[in-house]
Amino acid sequence: QVQLVESGGGLVQPGGSLRLSCVASGSIFSINAMRWYRQAPGKQRELVAAITSGSRTNYADSVKGRFTISGDNAKNTVYLQMNSLKPEDTAVYYCNVEFRVAPGVGPFGSWGPGTKVTVSS
């Protein structure tokens, strides 16, 4: 079993910054990728950013140039630095990890409970 714990959400004014963190723990042999998703009220969950074990990254068009995803493989941790925040970034942000529990076993996925980000003046 793998647990994810997110932190760093909160209320911020438009133009401000927040840094989200997500730590994965449990029966992890290796991590293929870690991702951040978000879900705004009344909308579907969408992929915000992803990073692979080889540090390849990709971003949703709506956050390119404003958000940066990074990871610490040794700590099974992923970060999301969010700058120039806009009201439309308001959502619950979820961490997702794709992992193996042993060589060749998996990959499996796990989700965190989410952390709320509110961008408002």
Side-chain angles (χ1 to χ4, degrees):
Q1 191 171 1
V2 171
Q3 298 82 36
L4 300 179
V5 177
E6 301 121 331
S7 60
L11 173 65
V12 64
Q13 292 186 343
S17 298
L18 283 175
R19 189 191 195 210
L20 305 183
S21 300
C22 172
V23 181
S25 62
S27 302
I28 298 173
F29 171 75
S30 64
I31 291 178
N32 290 355
M34 297 188 79
R35 304 177 180 92
W36 286 98
Y37 288 77
R38 67 185 180 187
Q39 187 166 18
K43 295 188 176 182
Q44 288 188 331
R45 192 171 297 190
E46 63 174 354
L47 177 66
V48 176
I51 186 167
T52 69
S53 58
S55 298
R56 291 177 58 186
T57 60
N58 66 281
Y59 298 90
D61 287 344
S62 59
V63 307
K64 282 181 181 176
R66 300 188 297 122
F67 291 11
T68 302
I69 189 169
S70 61
D72 185 333
N73 291 339
K75 298 180 179 179
N76 289 344
T77 300
V78 65
Y79 306 97
L80 185 67
Q81 177 67 43
M82 305 185 295
N83 298 329
S84 302
L85 283 161
K86 305 175 181 179
E88 51 264 42
D89 295 317
T90 295
V92 178
Y93 284 69
Y94 298 91
C95 180
N96 169 269
V97 63
E98 182 183 310
F99 63 96
R100 296 185 185 275
V101 296
V105 181
F108 303 101
S110 185
W111 291 89
T115 184
K116 188 173 182 179
V117 172
T118 303
V119 185
S120 175
S121 55

